Amino acid sequence: MLNRLRSVPRPKTGALLVSAAALLSAGTLGAAAPAQAQDASRVTAAVLPLDGARQEPFVYGADVPYDTASIIKVDILATALLQAQDAGRSLTAQERAWAEPMIRDSDNAAANALWRRIGRAPGLAAANKRLGLTETKGGPGAKWGLTRTTASDQIRLLRAVFDPPKTGPAALSEKSRAYIRSLMGDVADEQAWGVSAAGSASGTALKNGWLERNTTGLWDVNSVGRITVGGHPYLVAVLSDGNASMSDGVSLVQRTARTAVASASGS
């Protein structure tokens, strides 16, 4: 089952989807002008077409650090797989029992266990150096959800999974990459929102994250993954914070993803 990539359904109209006119438009979205939402929210998107020669993503909004919330779970799994490769082994049965619900269902207890297993932030940092990430800092102690990252760095992580270097060895083996792709392509249906709103119903693989901050009551809402638009593959990362509610954040992420991908595809 490791090579199975189930299509993630496109989100259906409902409370989590935008019900008004798009906040952003392709004509006003640009790298020099951060996309702003209502109230205290902010958002940044990075988009990389995979079927061209471009090496750096298009970035819309200020490419500044955000809390990861649960999108860090992809990085945690990549780190666990890299450490297992270094030890000349596959993931253990127990590690797989943590990894699969962590990605498919965003299980936090499983993430807690794997975060400890990889050595928390220091283990993550060592792996990220090899995976090409330069702007991600692991959360303090047990707080993996407070890892800080940028949209561009999330594209670097996605490239390590979906678009390894054409020359030279990749950090993650093909077996490890296929395992991550299979889980991201098989997330629970109720979590199939986010960057998938910008793509077709087939070939989508993603991981979302959401976190209500205790100090403000505002929400971090993020989505990263691979989508297909008109037969062309894209890597997309949308990070947001300061949202009044989770549903507001999901709507912001989805309409930003649609606008950013449409802008990148027309560039």
Side-chain angles (χ1 to χ4, degrees), residues 1-10 100 103-105 162 178-193 196 200-206 226-228:
M1 296 296 287
L2 297 187
N3 294 318
R4 181 172 66 91
L5 185 61
R6 183 174 67 86
S7 297
V8 178
R10 296 184 70 178
E100 292 171 15
I103 300 298
R104 288 175 173 154
D105 304 311
F162 293 94
Y179 184 60
I180 299 173
R181 294 194 301 262
S182 72
L183 298 183
M184 292 179 69
D186 195 27
V187 299
D189 287 347
E190 63 270 18
Q191 296 181 21
W193 47 266
S196 57
S200 65
S202 62
T204 296
L206 57 76
R226 180 193 184 276
I227 64 170
T228 303

Side-chain angles (χ1 to χ4, degrees), residues 25-245:
S25 68
T28 60
L29 192 61
Q36 297 292 331
Q38 296 176 0
D39 302 324
S41 60
R42 61 176 185 159
V43 63
T44 302
V47 179
L48 180 67
L50 287 183
D51 56 2
R54 189 177 180 90
Q55 296 297 304
E56 295 297 325
F58 297 97
V59 177
Y60 304 94
D63 200 19
V64 296
Y66 291 78
D67 298 325
T68 58
S70 285
I71 62 170
I72 191 58
K73 292 170 181 175
V74 176
D75 205 357
I76 293 173
L77 177 54
T79 299
L81 287 162
L82 193 55
Q83 291 178 350
Q85 287 176 202
D86 290 346
R89 63 174 179 84
S90 300
L91 293 185
T92 66
Q94 179 60 77
E95 288 167 342
R96 291 195 303 273
W98 290 327
E100 292 171 15
M102 179 179 74
I103 300 298
R104 288 175 173 154
D105 304 311
S106 207
D107 185 278
N108 289 336
N112 291 340
L114 268 182
W115 181 244
R116 292 191 297 270
R117 179 64 60 94
I118 67 170
R120 296 182 173 178
L124 189 82
N128 281 347
K129 185 174 181 179
R130 296 164 62 186
L131 293 168
L133 280 70
T134 60
E135 299 169 339
T136 298
K137 182 177 180 180
K143 298 179 180 179
W144 44 261
L146 297 185
T147 297
R148 301 282 283 173
T149 193
T150 63
S152 288
D153 231 25
Q154 286 303 296
I155 295 294
R156 295 182 185 104
L157 176 60
L158 292 171
R159 290 196 72 179
V161 175
F162 293 94
D163 186 41
K166 304 299 186 293
T167 59
L172 290 168
S173 69
E174 172 54 31
K175 181 179 179 182
S176 293
R177 296 194 304 271
Y179 184 60
I180 299 173
R181 294 194 301 262
S182 72
L183 298 183
M184 292 179 69
D186 195 27
V187 299
D189 287 347
E190 63 270 18
Q191 296 181 21
W193 47 266
V195 296
S196 57
S200 65
S202 62
T204 296
L206 57 76
K207 182 70 190 81
N208 298 324
W210 57 97
L211 173 66
E212 184 179 18
R213 300 310 305 270
N214 292 335
T215 54
T216 64
L218 300 176
W219 287 76
D220 302 327
V221 180
N222 307 317
S223 183
V224 299
R226 180 193 184 276
I227 64 170
T228 303
V229 182
H232 301 286
Y234 293 83
L235 300 180
V236 186
V238 183
L239 310 181
S240 77
D241 62 16
N243 297 287
S245 66

